[in-house]
Amino acid sequence: MGLSRRMFTKEFKRAAVQRLERGSSLGEVARAREVNPNVLHRWRGEVRPGPGHVFPGHGQQRWAEGRLAELERKIGPQALEIDVLKGCWQRIEEQRRLQALTGNPPSTQRSQKKCRPKVDLRSNAW
């Protein structure tokens, strides 16, 4: 079964404990129900105090709803950031490909500041 937590209904727990009470061994029920024998032992102890308060609550949930909502709130901005970074990376790669095709060396920070578009004033074209 591993380390993951499963949620068991009251009915599931009751049926497992009833099977124990009818004489099935702890190991046999544990294998059949795919539950740790220690968990079955605990369930049996919870039944003995009285049937009115057997297995209170809704069982242990794998993730609390609050934790799940928190993680979903974190995923949204991260996904957006990843999309922006992918777009930037694609533009950089396109520039590198163009530079490789044209044979122009990559520009440096200094040359980018000095570099201005060339204007042909006679034809009004860039």
Side-chain angles (χ1 to χ4, degrees), residues 70-115:
E70 175 190 349
L71 293 174
E72 287 174 343
R73 282 191 300 274
K74 287 181 178 181
I75 288 172
Q78 288 174 346
L80 181 61
E81 185 176 349
I82 288 169
D83 290 343
V84 168
L85 292 173
K86 280 182 180 178
C88 292
W89 183 255
Q90 286 174 349
R91 283 193 297 277
I92 290 169
E93 287 298 313
E94 287 172 11
Q95 287 177 341
R96 286 182 182 170
R97 274 188 242 126
L98 284 173
Q99 288 170 350
L101 288 173
T102 60
N104 292 337
S107 20
T108 63
Q109 288 290 347
R110 184 175 291 169
S111 67
Q112 285 178 355
K113 289 180 183 176
K114 289 182 180 179
C115 187

Side-chain angles (χ1 to χ4, degrees), residues 28 52 63 65 69 81 85 104 106 120-121:
E28 182 182 32
W63 289 96
E65 288 180 25
E81 185 176 349
L85 292 173
N104 292 337
D120 183 1
L121 296 175

Side-chain angles (χ1 to χ4, degrees), residues 56-71:
H58 301 293
Q60 178 130 12
Q61 295 181 359
R62 187 174 203 172
W63 289 96
E65 288 180 25
R67 177 72 174 141
L68 186 59
E70 175 190 349
L71 293 174

